[in-house]
Amino acid sequence: YFVNGAGSNEGLGASFIFGDSLVDAGNNNYLQTLSRANIPPNGIDFKASGGQPTGRYTNGRTIGDIVGEELGVPSYAVPYLAPNSTGKAILYGVNYASGGGGIMNATGRIFVNRLGLDIQIDYFNNTRKQFDKLMGPSKAKDYISKRSIFSITIGANDFLNNYLLPVLSVGARISESPDAFIDDMINHLRNQLTRLYQLDARKFVIGNVGPIGCIPYQKTVNQLNENECVDLANKLAMQYNRRLKELLSELNGKLQGAIFVHANVYDLVMELITNYTKYGINMDKHLGFTTASKACCGNGGQFAGIIPCGPTSSLCKDREKHVFWDPYHPSEAANVIIARQLLNGSTKYISPVNLKQLRNL
């Protein structure tokens, strides 16, 4: 029914997801890489796999999964590198995201293999051709431009695993000021988004970089107190985020017929971290979060923030009460709260429209 109904306006077309480990749904399982999440207890609360790890860097669903579900996509976007990402499966969407990936091609080099955004868009180019074959060119173009949403969650690794990395003496910090590095990021991203536009993408949602100075890893290695964050990392994120906002309004003016929605992940997550006791998924039962600094799954230091989540990690009992699943990534409970704001929230967090409105445009 999908192919025939492609012209009608029932629900969403496809959900195309680009980005890093925050939204990777298993692409890194198919790479020789040091960044992988296909080991337990990752995925312990992911119902679709019966609690087995899938390569998602969290205990349950990612923000991309939850958003797609709420917008009415009948099944999760399939990882591009997975063997089943062929034929009609791609009509619900494809996920190109990769743990360790960034806007810049050098980002994540420490993990050996990962898909940067340039490669992710190369892969979408292949998918785009498959859509023409599946539907015929004119229906495919309609389906992709009018009914599909392109979400891009990227940029954190450009700081965490590139600019701020003490280990890589080749890190950009030696040769480049923050301004110059962020300039590079923005110019790169402008070209990448324009390229997607040329491939008929029209509805975009772009997440800014969250408060990377507040993740358990950063708090642990910098030996901070519970309510402190690493100033430099957050300042860099905010500096990039200001430029991103300008870029999106520039593209909204320049690329005709496209809408670029700005997802203010930084303020959203900062609010969650600051006032964590006020939030939770079952607030009627007063199940607010009990910690926004300690990883549920991890080892090392005060916040279990050094060693990534794996079979030998200590695991918390109350997963829905931790904002962070592991040293870097939010728990499913936090992802649900973030996703709800992106879907239904006000322009404080998502503008010019929220994702429910974007779907219906």
Side-chain angles (χ1 to χ4, degrees):
Y1 87 100
F2 232 108
V3 180
N4 303 335
S8 71
N9 253 329
E10 294 153 29
L12 185 63
S15 169
F16 295 108
I17 298 173
F18 301 81
D20 54 27
S21 57
L22 290 167
V23 288
D24 186 347
N27 280 309
N28 277 26
N29 302 354
Y30 303 96
L31 297 173
Q32 290 293 325
T33 178
L34 299 175
S35 179
R36 292 177 104 157
N38 58 344
I39 46 170
N42 290 298
I44 189 168
D45 299 307
F46 190 63
K47 295 195 178 70
S49 68
Q52 293 306 303
T54 58
R56 287 168 169 80
Y57 292 73
T58 181
N59 56 311
R61 294 164 298 164
T62 67
I63 296 175
D65 294 330
I66 299 159
V67 164
E69 223 172 83
E70 292 289 319
L71 290 177
V73 183
S75 66
Y76 300 128
V78 28
Y80 178 83
L81 294 178
N84 61 340
S85 67
T86 53
K88 289 189 177 172
I90 68 173
L91 293 171
Y92 300 128
V94 179
N95 182 313
Y96 305 88
S98 168
I103 292 170
M104 308 302 286
N105 288 316
T107 293
R109 190 183 282 155
I110 187 173
F111 302 119
V112 189
N113 281 311
R114 73 281 164 211
L115 312 175
L117 190 53
D118 281 339
I119 297 173
Q120 295 183 30
I121 297 169
D122 289 344
Y123 287 162
F124 173 71
N125 187 27
N126 299 342
T127 303
R128 182 68 193 81
K129 292 173 184 149
Q130 291 173 296
F131 268 86
D132 281 348
K133 285 203 182 90
L134 274 168
M135 293 183 152
S138 80
K139 269 188 175 160
K141 187 174 178 170
D142 238 34
Y143 191 75
I144 284 164
S145 59
K146 297 197 171 104
R147 295 188 44 204
S148 299
I149 289 180
F150 289 73
S151 63
I152 296 139
T153 308
I154 205 153
N157 284 314
D158 292 287
F159 297 108
L160 291 171
N161 292 308
N162 184 340
Y163 197 74
L164 289 170
L165 260 198
V167 249
L168 291 185
S169 54
V170 295
R173 240 189 322 177
I174 312 297
S175 54
E176 251 185 322
S177 68
D179 287 1
F181 182 71
I182 288 169
D183 258 354
D184 271 359
M185 282 177 74
I186 292 292
N187 291 331
H188 226 81
L189 185 61
R190 179 188 291 107
N191 292 337
Q192 290 162 332
L193 295 174
T194 306
R195 218 176 127 204
L196 283 172
Y197 175 84
Q198 287 159 350
L199 293 168
D200 298 320
R202 291 297 178 269
K203 296 180 179 189
F204 293 86
V205 52
I206 320 287
N208 66 8
V209 171
I212 48 179
C214 303
I215 62 178
Y217 173 77
Q218 289 282 0
K219 286 190 184 191
T220 304
V221 293
N222 292 284
Q223 301 183 312
L224 300 185
N225 298 334
E226 194 158 354
N227 51 3
E228 290 180 301
C229 296
V230 180
D231 204 38
L232 173 64
N234 280 354
K235 279 207 173 103
L236 287 169
M238 290 193 301
Q239 195 179 331
Y240 164 78
N241 289 345
R242 281 194 293 275
R243 296 286 311 276
L244 175 69
K245 206 170 178 182
E246 289 164 14
L247 172 66
L248 298 183
S249 24
E250 172 200 318
L251 294 177
N252 270 325
K254 201 166 71 179
L255 298 180
Q256 217 183 341
I259 177 165
F260 289 85
V261 175
H262 174 258
N264 186 356
V265 177
Y266 188 96
D267 286 353
L268 197 48
V269 174
M270 202 54 155
E271 162 67 23
L272 193 50
I273 289 170
T274 313
N275 298 311
Y276 61 90
T277 54
K278 295 187 190 147
Y279 294 92
I281 23 186
N282 296 317
M283 285 314 280
D284 44 327
K285 299 185 189 143
H286 291 293
L287 287 179
F289 290 103
T290 54
T291 174
S293 49
K294 198 172 187 319
C296 168
C297 180
N299 283 99
Q302 194 189 345
F303 307 116
I306 295 185
I307 298 160
C309 178
T312 57
S313 304
S314 57
L315 182 63
C316 70
K317 297 264 186 294
D318 44 359
R319 300 188 285 273
E320 70 293 336
K321 293 190 178 184
H322 282 64
V323 171
F324 286 97
W325 163 244
D326 67 8
Y328 291 91
H329 306 100
S331 63
E332 181 183 59
N335 284 339
V336 166
I337 288 165
I338 296 163
R340 278 179 190 164
Q341 287 292 352
L342 300 180
L343 286 154
N344 306 304
S346 71
T347 52
K348 181 179 176 187
Y349 294 132
I350 181 116
S351 61
V353 293
N354 63 34
L355 299 191
K356 286 265 167 84
Q357 293 162 328
L358 178 64
R359 175 191 63 190
N360 299 329
L361 283 180

Short mmCIF file of all heavy atoms in Angstrom, two decimals, residues 310-350:
data_model
loop_
_atom_site.label_atom_id
_atom_site.label_comp_id
_atom_site.label_asym_id
_atom_site.label_seq_id
_atom_site.Cartn_x
_atom_site.Cartn_y
_atom_site.Cartn_z
N GLY A 310 29.49 -1.76 29.46
CA GLY A 310 29.72 -3.09 28.90
C GLY A 310 29.36 -4.15 29.92
O GLY A 310 28.91 -3.83 31.02
N PRO A 311 29.57 -5.43 29.56
CA PRO A 311 29.14 -6.53 30.42
C PRO A 311 29.73 -6.48 31.83
O PRO A 311 29.12 -6.98 32.77
CB PRO A 311 29.64 -7.78 29.68
CG PRO A 311 29.82 -7.34 28.27
CD PRO A 311 30.17 -5.88 28.30
N THR A 312 30.92 -5.88 32.00
CA THR A 312 31.54 -5.87 33.34
C THR A 312 31.22 -4.59 34.11
O THR A 312 31.70 -4.40 35.23
CB THR A 312 33.07 -6.01 33.22
OG1 THR A 312 33.55 -4.94 32.39
CG2 THR A 312 33.46 -7.34 32.59
N SER A 313 30.45 -3.69 33.51
CA SER A 313 30.14 -2.42 34.17
C SER A 313 29.20 -2.63 35.35
O SER A 313 28.40 -3.56 35.36
CB SER A 313 29.43 -1.46 33.21
OG SER A 313 30.20 -1.25 32.07
N SER A 314 29.29 -1.71 36.31
CA SER A 314 28.25 -1.71 37.34
C SER A 314 27.00 -1.09 36.71
O SER A 314 27.09 -0.19 35.88
CB SER A 314 28.71 -0.91 38.55
OG SER A 314 29.03 0.40 38.16
N LEU A 315 25.85 -1.62 37.09
CA LEU A 315 24.59 -1.21 36.46
C LEU A 315 23.63 -0.76 37.57
O LEU A 315 23.47 -1.46 38.56
CB LEU A 315 23.99 -2.41 35.71
CG LEU A 315 22.69 -2.17 34.94
CD1 LEU A 315 22.88 -1.15 33.82
CD2 LEU A 315 22.16 -3.48 34.37
N CYS A 316 23.02 0.40 37.38
CA CYS A 316 22.11 0.90 38.41
C CYS A 316 20.80 0.10 38.39
O CYS A 316 20.45 -0.50 37.38
CB CYS A 316 21.83 2.39 38.20
SG CYS A 316 20.81 2.74 36.74
N LYS A 317 20.08 0.14 39.50
CA LYS A 317 18.81 -0.60 39.59
C LYS A 317 17.67 0.19 38.93
O LYS A 317 16.76 -0.37 38.34
CB LYS A 317 18.42 -0.83 41.05
CG LYS A 317 19.40 -1.70 41.83
CD LYS A 317 18.92 -3.17 41.85
CE LYS A 317 19.81 -4.01 42.74
NZ LYS A 317 21.19 -4.15 42.22
N ASP A 318 17.70 1.51 39.09
CA ASP A 318 16.56 2.35 38.71
C ASP A 318 16.90 3.14 37.46
O ASP A 318 17.16 4.33 37.51
CB ASP A 318 16.20 3.29 39.86
CG ASP A 318 17.45 3.92 40.49
OD1 ASP A 318 18.58 3.60 40.02
OD2 ASP A 318 17.30 4.73 41.42
N ARG A 319 16.87 2.44 36.33
CA ARG A 319 17.34 3.05 35.09
C ARG A 319 16.51 4.27 34.68
O ARG A 319 17.02 5.20 34.07
CB ARG A 319 17.35 2.02 33.97
CG ARG A 319 18.27 0.84 34.29
CD ARG A 319 18.43 -0.07 33.12
NE ARG A 319 17.28 -0.92 32.86
CZ ARG A 319 17.08 -2.10 33.43
NH1 ARG A 319 17.94 -2.56 34.32
NH2 ARG A 319 16.03 -2.83 33.11
N GLU A 320 15.22 4.26 35.03
CA GLU A 320 14.37 5.38 34.61
C GLU A 320 14.60 6.63 35.48
O GLU A 320 14.01 7.66 35.23
CB GLU A 320 12.90 4.97 34.58
CG GLU A 320 12.23 4.73 35.92
CD GLU A 320 12.78 3.51 36.66
OE1 GLU A 320 13.34 2.58 36.03
OE2 GLU A 320 12.65 3.50 37.90
N LYS A 321 15.48 6.50 36.48
CA LYS A 321 15.74 7.66 37.35
C LYS A 321 17.09 8.31 37.08
O LYS A 321 17.50 9.22 37.79
CB LYS A 321 15.62 7.24 38.82
CG LYS A 321 14.20 6.87 39.19
CD LYS A 321 14.04 6.68 40.67
CE LYS A 321 12.59 6.36 41.01
NZ LYS A 321 12.41 6.28 42.47
N HIS A 322 17.81 7.81 36.09
CA HIS A 322 19.10 8.39 35.71
C HIS A 322 18.95 9.18 34.42
O HIS A 322 18.42 8.65 33.44
CB HIS A 322 20.16 7.29 35.50
CG HIS A 322 20.71 6.74 36.78
ND1 HIS A 322 19.94 6.07 37.69
CD2 HIS A 322 21.98 6.77 37.29
CE1 HIS A 322 20.70 5.70 38.72
NE2 HIS A 322 21.94 6.11 38.50
N VAL A 323 19.43 10.42 34.41
CA VAL A 323 19.42 11.20 33.16
C VAL A 323 20.41 10.57 32.17
O VAL A 323 20.15 10.51 30.98
CB VAL A 323 19.77 12.68 33.43
CG1 VAL A 323 19.98 13.44 32.11
CG2 VAL A 323 18.65 13.35 34.25
N PHE A 324 21.54 10.08 32.69
CA PHE A 324 22.56 9.50 31.81
C PHE A 324 22.61 7.98 31.92
O PHE A 324 22.64 7.42 33.01
CB PHE A 324 23.95 10.07 32.12
CG PHE A 324 24.11 11.47 31.63
CD1 PHE A 324 23.91 12.56 32.48
CD2 PHE A 324 24.40 11.72 30.28
CE1 PHE A 324 24.03 13.86 31.99
CE2 PHE A 324 24.52 13.02 29.80
CZ PHE A 324 24.33 14.10 30.67
N TRP A 325 22.62 7.35 30.76
CA TRP A 325 22.75 5.89 30.71
C TRP A 325 24.19 5.47 30.94
O TRP A 325 24.49 4.58 31.71
CB TRP A 325 22.26 5.37 29.36
CG TRP A 325 22.70 3.98 29.01
CD1 TRP A 325 23.51 3.62 27.98
CD2 TRP A 325 22.36 2.76 29.70
NE1 TRP A 325 23.71 2.24 27.98
CE2 TRP A 325 23.00 1.70 29.04
CE3 TRP A 325 21.58 2.46 30.82
CZ2 TRP A 325 22.90 0.38 29.43
CZ3 TRP A 325 21.47 1.13 31.22
CH2 TRP A 325 22.12 0.10 30.53
N ASP A 326 25.12 6.13 30.25
CA ASP A 326 26.53 5.78 30.32
C ASP A 326 27.34 7.08 30.40
O ASP A 326 26.75 8.15 30.54
CB ASP A 326 26.91 4.89 29.11
CG ASP A 326 26.84 5.64 27.78
OD1 ASP A 326 26.65 6.88 27.78
OD2 ASP A 326 26.98 4.99 26.72
N PRO A 327 28.67 7.03 30.32
CA PRO A 327 29.43 8.27 30.49
C PRO A 327 29.12 9.38 29.47
O PRO A 327 29.47 10.54 29.71
CB PRO A 327 30.89 7.81 30.36
CG PRO A 327 30.87 6.39 30.84
CD PRO A 327 29.56 5.84 30.34
N TYR A 328 28.47 9.04 28.36
CA TYR A 328 28.25 10.02 27.30
C TYR A 328 26.79 10.24 26.91
O TYR A 328 26.45 11.28 26.36
CB TYR A 328 28.96 9.57 26.01
CG TYR A 328 30.46 9.63 26.08
CD1 TYR A 328 31.20 8.52 26.50
CD2 TYR A 328 31.15 10.78 25.72
CE1 TYR A 328 32.58 8.56 26.56
CE2 TYR A 328 32.53 10.83 25.78
CZ TYR A 328 33.24 9.73 26.20
OH TYR A 328 34.61 9.78 26.27
N HIS A 329 25.94 9.22 27.08
CA HIS A 329 24.63 9.24 26.42
C HIS A 329 23.46 9.25 27.40
O HIS A 329 23.53 8.60 28.44
CB HIS A 329 24.49 8.01 25.51
CG HIS A 329 25.61 7.88 24.55
ND1 HIS A 329 26.67 7.02 24.75
CD2 HIS A 329 25.86 8.52 23.39
CE1 HIS A 329 27.54 7.14 23.75
NE2 HIS A 329 27.07 8.04 22.90
N PRO A 330 22.37 9.94 27.02
CA PRO A 330 21.19 9.96 27.89
C PRO A 330 20.51 8.58 27.95
O PRO A 330 20.65 7.76 27.04
CB PRO A 330 20.25 10.96 27.21
CG PRO A 330 21.01 11.60 26.12
CD PRO A 330 22.19 10.75 25.81
N SER A 331 19.77 8.37 29.03
CA SER A 331 18.96 7.17 29.18
C SER A 331 17.72 7.28 28.30
O SER A 331 17.38 8.38 27.83
CB SER A 331 18.51 7.04 30.63
OG SER A 331 17.69 8.16 30.96
N GLU A 332 17.01 6.17 28.12
CA GLU A 332 15.75 6.23 27.37
C GLU A 332 14.78 7.20 28.04
O GLU A 332 14.08 7.95 27.37
CB GLU A 332 15.10 4.85 27.25
CG GLU A 332 13.81 4.93 26.45
CD GLU A 332 13.05 3.61 26.33
OE1 GLU A 332 12.67 3.04 27.36
OE2 GLU A 332 12.83 3.17 25.20
N ALA A 333 14.75 7.20 29.37
CA ALA A 333 13.83 8.10 30.09
C ALA A 333 14.11 9.56 29.73
O ALA A 333 13.19 10.35 29.49
CB ALA A 333 13.95 7.88 31.60
N ALA A 334 15.38 9.93 29.66
CA ALA A 334 15.74 11.29 29.27
C ALA A 334 15.41 11.52 27.80
O ALA A 334 14.89 12.59 27.43
CB ALA A 334 17.23 11.54 29.53
N ASN A 335 15.68 10.53 26.96
CA ASN A 335 15.36 10.66 25.53
C ASN A 335 13.86 10.91 25.31
O ASN A 335 13.47 11.67 24.42
CB ASN A 335 15.79 9.40 24.76
CG ASN A 335 17.30 9.36 24.52
OD1 ASN A 335 17.97 10.40 24.56
ND2 ASN A 335 17.84 8.18 24.28
N VAL A 336 13.02 10.25 26.12
CA VAL A 336 11.57 10.44 25.99
C VAL A 336 11.20 11.89 26.29
O VAL A 336 10.41 12.52 25.56
CB VAL A 336 10.80 9.49 26.95
CG1 VAL A 336 9.33 9.89 27.09
CG2 VAL A 336 10.89 8.04 26.44
N ILE A 337 11.79 12.47 27.34
CA ILE A 337 11.47 13.84 27.71
C ILE A 337 11.96 14.82 26.65
O ILE A 337 11.26 15.76 26.27
CB ILE A 337 12.05 14.14 29.11
CG1 ILE A 337 11.19 13.38 30.13
CG2 ILE A 337 12.05 15.63 29.41
CD1 ILE A 337 11.80 13.26 31.48
N ILE A 338 13.15 14.58 26.13
CA ILE A 338 13.70 15.44 25.07
C ILE A 338 12.82 15.33 23.82
O ILE A 338 12.42 16.34 23.23
CB ILE A 338 15.16 15.04 24.76
CG1 ILE A 338 16.06 15.29 25.99
CG2 ILE A 338 15.69 15.80 23.55
CD1 ILE A 338 17.41 14.58 25.95
N ALA A 339 12.49 14.10 23.43
CA ALA A 339 11.68 13.88 22.22
C ALA A 339 10.31 14.54 22.33
O ALA A 339 9.83 15.14 21.36
CB ALA A 339 11.53 12.38 21.95
N ARG A 340 9.68 14.45 23.51
CA ARG A 340 8.36 15.08 23.68
C ARG A 340 8.40 16.57 23.43
O ARG A 340 7.48 17.14 22.84
CB ARG A 340 7.85 14.84 25.11
CG ARG A 340 7.22 13.48 25.30
CD ARG A 340 6.76 13.31 26.75
NE ARG A 340 6.36 11.92 27.00
CZ ARG A 340 6.22 11.41 28.23
NH1 ARG A 340 6.44 12.15 29.30
NH2 ARG A 340 5.85 10.14 28.36
N GLN A 341 9.47 17.22 23.90
CA GLN A 341 9.60 18.67 23.67
C GLN A 341 9.79 18.97 22.19
O GLN A 341 9.26 19.95 21.68
CB GLN A 341 10.78 19.23 24.47
CG GLN A 341 10.52 19.33 25.96
CD GLN A 341 9.46 20.37 26.31
OE1 GLN A 341 9.00 21.14 25.47
NE2 GLN A 341 9.05 20.38 27.56
N LEU A 342 10.56 18.13 21.50
CA LEU A 342 10.81 18.37 20.08
C LEU A 342 9.52 18.16 19.28
O LEU A 342 9.26 18.85 18.31
CB LEU A 342 11.91 17.44 19.56
CG LEU A 342 13.27 17.59 20.26
CD1 LEU A 342 14.28 16.63 19.67
CD2 LEU A 342 13.79 19.02 20.21
N LEU A 343 8.70 17.20 19.73
CA LEU A 343 7.46 16.89 19.02
C LEU A 343 6.39 17.95 19.25
O LEU A 343 5.69 18.35 18.32
CB LEU A 343 6.93 15.53 19.47
CG LEU A 343 7.71 14.33 18.91
CD1 LEU A 343 7.58 13.13 19.84
CD2 LEU A 343 7.22 13.98 17.52
N ASN A 344 6.22 18.37 20.51
CA ASN A 344 5.07 19.18 20.87
C ASN A 344 5.43 20.52 21.49
O ASN A 344 4.54 21.28 21.86
CB ASN A 344 4.20 18.42 21.91
CG ASN A 344 3.83 17.05 21.41
OD1 ASN A 344 3.24 16.91 20.35
ND2 ASN A 344 4.20 16.01 22.16
N GLY A 345 6.74 20.78 21.62
CA GLY A 345 7.17 21.91 22.44
C GLY A 345 6.98 23.27 21.78
O GLY A 345 6.58 23.39 20.63
N SER A 346 7.31 24.28 22.57
CA SER A 346 7.20 25.67 22.11
C SER A 346 8.50 26.08 21.42
O SER A 346 9.49 25.35 21.44
CB SER A 346 6.99 26.58 23.32
OG SER A 346 8.20 26.63 24.07
N THR A 347 8.51 27.28 20.86
CA THR A 347 9.67 27.76 20.11
C THR A 347 10.89 27.99 21.00
O THR A 347 11.98 28.22 20.51
CB THR A 347 9.35 29.08 19.37
OG1 THR A 347 8.80 29.99 20.32
CG2 THR A 347 8.35 28.86 18.25
N LYS A 348 10.70 27.92 22.31
CA LYS A 348 11.86 28.00 23.22
C LYS A 348 12.84 26.88 22.90
O LYS A 348 14.05 27.03 22.99
CB LYS A 348 11.36 27.89 24.66
CG LYS A 348 12.45 27.98 25.71
CD LYS A 348 11.85 27.88 27.11
CE LYS A 348 12.94 27.87 28.16
NZ LYS A 348 12.39 27.60 29.51
N TYR A 349 12.29 25.70 22.56
CA TYR A 349 13.14 24.53 22.31
C TYR A 349 13.16 24.08 20.86
O TYR A 349 14.08 23.38 20.45
CB TYR A 349 12.69 23.37 23.20
CG TYR A 349 12.90 23.62 24.67
CD1 TYR A 349 11.88 23.38 25.58
CD2 TYR A 349 14.12 24.10 25.15
CE1 TYR A 349 12.08 23.61 26.95
CE2 TYR A 349 14.31 24.34 26.50
CZ TYR A 349 13.30 24.10 27.40
OH TYR A 349 13.49 24.32 28.73
N ILE A 350 12.13 24.43 20.10
CA ILE A 350 12.10 23.95 18.72
C ILE A 350 11.40 24.99 17.85
O ILE A 350 10.25 25.36 18.10
CB ILE A 350 11.44 22.54 18.62
CG1 ILE A 350 11.43 22.04 17.18
CG2 ILE A 350 10.07 22.49 19.26
CD1 ILE A 350 12.24 20.81 16.96
#
